[in-house]
Amino acid sequence: MRRPFLPTLLLACSLAVPALAAEPAKKPAKAPAKTICVNVKDGSKAVQGTNLVIEPGEKVKDAVAVDGDVIVKKGAVVDNDVAAIRGRVILEPGAKVKGDVVSIGGEVRVPAGAHVDGDVTALGGKLVVDKKEDVSGEQNSLSLVFNGDDLVKEFVGKALDEDAGKCHILDDEDDDDDKDV
């Protein structure tokens, strides 16, 4: 029985939750400094404001990037799920994901020779799967374009811009030691 994708998606979206309740902020005069956070306590990796690259031979539990891409190189294995919020998920031929792959506000690329045991989903971006048999689960893509703007990308972008510069480090074991940095 496959592990549900919901916990990974909730981890990724938790970075944006405080922004959903706030009033829209004015755009800053200059771009905020990039914030990078990594949590590898349980074998998972999560970053914000940069790309996450899973190198050949590396094995991780979950891979999550906010405002960056997740790139799974040839020979790398992700035991559970891969998620990119306002970024792309790019698998190289020979990469393996044993769970689901999702991108919100970006595209998902699964070239021939890469393999996903679960579902692949692109919300607000393209889904590119070279060979359908390389994805064991469902393939889903949704993009809502109005006047040339993708509404999914706009929604995610506004939610994350409100919380820019703050990174939430989460520990699934105990909510008492979660903190903002």
Side-chain angles (χ1 to χ4, degrees):
M1 182 175 195
R2 271 193 16 230
R3 189 179 74 86
F5 181 65
L6 186 58
T8 301
L9 185 59
L10 289 175
L11 170 68
C13 291
S14 69
L15 295 168
V17 170
L20 297 176
E23 292 288 323
K26 294 179 182 177
K27 296 271 183 192
K30 63 179 186 172
K34 295 269 184 182
T35 304
I36 302 169
C37 299
V38 179
N39 179 10
V40 292
K41 183 174 182 180
D42 67 350
S44 297
K45 289 191 174 186
V47 299
Q48 180 180 3
T50 190
N51 293 340
L52 173 58
V53 180
I54 310 300
E55 296 293 341
E58 191 174 1
K59 189 173 185 178
V60 299
K61 186 174 179 182
D62 291 296
V64 178
V66 176
D67 289 331
D69 300 338
V70 178
I71 302 163
V72 184
K73 300 277 193 169
K74 176 181 181 176
V77 176
V78 178
D79 278 337
N80 291 320
D81 304 316
V82 176
I85 310 299
R86 210 163 52 176
R88 302 174 296 171
V89 176
I90 302 167
L91 306 181
E92 289 186 352
K96 181 164 180 69
V97 177
K98 295 181 180 178
D100 298 324
V101 173
V102 68
S103 174
I104 300 176
E107 69 181 82
V108 174
R109 291 187 212 160
V110 182
H115 190 76
V116 177
D117 289 345
D119 302 334
V120 291
T121 303
L123 299 175
K126 290 192 314 184
L127 174 60
V128 180
V129 177
D130 289 348
K131 295 172 77 179
K132 290 187 180 203
E133 57 270 14
D134 286 333
V135 177
S136 298
E138 295 181 16
Q139 300 175 29
N140 305 297
S141 179
L142 174 65
S143 195
L144 300 171
V145 179
F146 182 73
N147 284 338
D149 294 325
D150 191 306
L151 300 179
V152 174
K153 283 184 183 179
E154 291 290 323
F155 174 77
V156 171
K158 286 180 181 179
L160 291 174
D161 284 343
E162 182 70 27
D163 211 25
K166 192 184 275 188
C167 182
H168 307 278
I169 308 266
L170 301 175
D171 176 4
D172 291 336
E173 302 291 323
D174 182 5
D175 288 339
D176 292 337
D177 62 353
D178 292 350
K179 57 188 170 213
D180 294 339
V181 249

